[in-house]
């Protein structure tokens, strides 16, 4: 099975940097995803990590440590529009052809002036 | 532009009714998923399919079934709807990397 943990809520200031953590336990890790979801909308893809290290994409970066079962999403130069829920998802390599995708409960980020 | 389309945005059904939620993708993806999303519980996997006619139970399959007769279409079936199945239902389609989501169906069972 899989167990994915993220903080429920975070608050940060416009222009600042925020780090959202995700820890996981899984029987067959095969990749970790971060998604952004604004209220009332579908989740949209942000990043994908399958190897250890940092993946940078503009203002967003994602880090993975497979040995620690740990990832974080780093958001720089925060903007008000970044207020959203951030979902961590893990792909299980042992189930359903290696494509079972399980989500954490999400971290609600509020960006304030 | 990739597209995952769910047949209804809002749906109201009565307890005991059989309910069909349809999802169609145009990306030729093998993998399709049905989730429900509830406040405080996040996205929970109901069923998924990694090929035509193949299906796997997710974490909360009870009270649901699925059908994947064609690659582009994945249907979620509530055999006898109950009030605790009132939720937002999200379909996703996935190729080699990320999953793409439909807009969701807000189902209310009264």
């Amino acid at each position: 099975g899989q167990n994915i943990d993220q903080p429920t809520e975070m608050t940060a200031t416009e222009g600042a940097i925020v780090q959202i953590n995700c820890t996981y336990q899984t029987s067959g890790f095969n990749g970790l995803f971060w998604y952004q979801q604004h209220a009332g909308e579908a989740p949209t893809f942000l990043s994908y990590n399958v190897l250890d290290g940092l993946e940078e994409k503009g203002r967003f970066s994602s880090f993975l440590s497979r040995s620690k079962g740990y990832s974080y999403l780093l958001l720089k130069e925060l903007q008000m529009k970044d207020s959203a829920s951030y979902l961590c998802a893990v792909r299980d390599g042992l189930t359903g052809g290696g494509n079972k995708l399980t989500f954490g409960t999400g971290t609600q980020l509020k960006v304030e002036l | 532009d990739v597209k995952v389309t769910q047949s209804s945005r809002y749906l109201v059904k009565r307890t005991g009714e059989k309910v069909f939620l349809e999802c169609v993708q145009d990306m030729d993806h093998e993998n399709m998923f049905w989730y429900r999303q509830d406040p405080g519980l996040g996205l929970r996997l109901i069923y998924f399919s990694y090929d035509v006619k193949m299906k796997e139970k997710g974490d909360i399959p009870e009270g649901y079934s699925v059908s994947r007769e064609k690659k582009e279409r994945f249907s979620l079936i509530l055999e006898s709807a109950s009030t605790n199945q009132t939720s937002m239902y999200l379909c996703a389609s996935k190729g080699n990397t990320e999953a793409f989501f439909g807009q969701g169906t807000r189902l209310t069972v009264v």
Side-chain angles (χ1 to χ4, degrees):
Chain A
Q2 289 164 305
N3 190 29
I4 302 170
D5 289 310
Q6 310 177 227
T8 305
E9 294 177 336
M10 297 182 74
T11 302
T13 305
E14 190 179 34
I17 299 173
V18 72
Q19 177 175 312
I20 302 174
N21 296 326
C22 172
T23 58
Y24 63 89
Q25 292 109 41
T26 181
S27 47
F29 178 81
N30 194 20
L32 186 143
F33 299 81
W34 283 97
Y35 281 79
Q36 179 190 60
Q37 186 179 24
H38 284 101
E41 297 181 11
T44 54
F45 170 76
L46 288 177
S47 70
Y48 171 62
N49 296 70
V50 66
L51 299 176
D52 290 353
L54 190 68
E55 294 280 341
E56 296 187 78
K57 199 189 270 188
R59 292 190 299 116
F60 292 9
S61 304
S62 58
F63 171 83
L64 175 67
S65 168
R66 288 171 296 170
S67 62
K68 294 181 180 176
Y70 168 69
S71 173
Y72 66 73
L73 180 70
L74 195 70
L75 291 77
K76 302 175 189 173
E77 301 168 17
L78 278 174
Q79 302 174 11
M80 297 299 288
K81 67 178 183 180
D82 296 329
S83 292
S85 182
Y86 291 85
L87 310 174
C88 172
V90 172
R91 188 163 81 175
D92 179 352
L94 299 179
T95 306
N99 282 296
K100 181 181 179 184
L101 194 61
T102 302
F103 283 80
T105 54
T107 298
Q108 187 64 45
L109 174 66
K110 183 178 179 183
V111 180
E112 298 178 328
L113 290 170
Chain B
D1 206 17
V2 299
K3 207 156 192 177
V4 180
T5 304
Q6 293 183 228
S7 51
S8 304
R9 194 74 195 267
Y10 299 93
L11 213 51
V12 179
K13 294 291 181 182
R14 293 191 183 279
T15 302
E17 273 193 83
K18 190 168 186 175
V19 182
F20 292 86
L21 301 183
E22 305 285 349
C23 177
V24 177
Q25 51 102 356
D26 64 359
M27 295 164 283
D28 202 36
H29 286 165
E30 264 95 38
N31 307 290
M32 296 185 77
F33 306 78
W34 274 107
Y35 295 88
R36 62 178 285 178
Q37 189 171 32
D38 302 286
L41 298 176
L43 278 162
R44 291 182 292 166
L45 182 63
I46 305 170
Y47 266 97
F48 67 107
S49 168
Y50 55 91
D51 202 350
V52 175
K53 296 192 188 293
M54 303 303 287
K55 58 186 178 185
E56 288 262 355
K57 290 180 180 179
D59 299 313
I60 51 162
E62 297 79 20
Y64 303 94
S65 62
V66 289
S67 173
R68 184 105 181 263
E69 294 298 315
K70 292 185 178 180
K71 194 175 188 181
E72 66 269 19
R73 186 180 297 270
F74 191 36
S75 304
L76 180 70
I77 303 151
L78 286 68
E79 297 291 339
S80 176
S82 63
T83 54
N84 62 14
Q85 291 179 309
T86 291
S87 186
M88 170 66 85
Y89 289 87
L90 285 158
C91 172
S93 172
K94 184 179 175 299
N96 291 328
T97 52
E98 75 262 36
F100 297 89
F101 282 85
Q103 281 300 102
T105 297
R106 170 76 62 186
L107 172 67
T108 303
V109 183
V110 298

